[in-house]
Amino acid sequence: MKKWFILLSCGAFVVASMFTTGMVRALVDLIAFAAIFGLVWSMQDSTEVNDIK
């Protein structure tokens, strides 16, 4: 589920970046980077497996 959300977010941020210029475009790109980084970081935490003894 989160993988689809990441792909859709990337598409939305690319479209938003295409329709803006200047400082707004830089802010869109910065927010996109932070959002994708946060999603990937949360996926990494949820995929850890504890040792079973």
Side-chain angles (χ1 to χ4, degrees), residues 38-52:
L39 285 169
V40 170
W41 190 277
S42 69
M43 281 183 61
Q44 178 186 12
D45 290 341
S46 66
T47 59
E48 290 181 9
V49 177
N50 297 329
D51 280 342
I52 301 173

Side-chain angles (χ1 to χ4, degrees), residues 12-52:
F13 287 129
V14 166
V15 170
S17 184
M18 286 173 33
F19 288 115
T20 56
T21 59
M23 183 62 94
V24 176
R25 185 175 194 167
L27 289 174
V28 167
D29 291 342
L30 182 62
I31 292 168
F33 175 76
I36 300 300
F37 186 76
L39 285 169
V40 170
W41 190 277
S42 69
M43 281 183 61
Q44 178 186 12
D45 290 341
S46 66
T47 59
E48 290 181 9
V49 177
N50 297 329
D51 280 342
I52 301 173

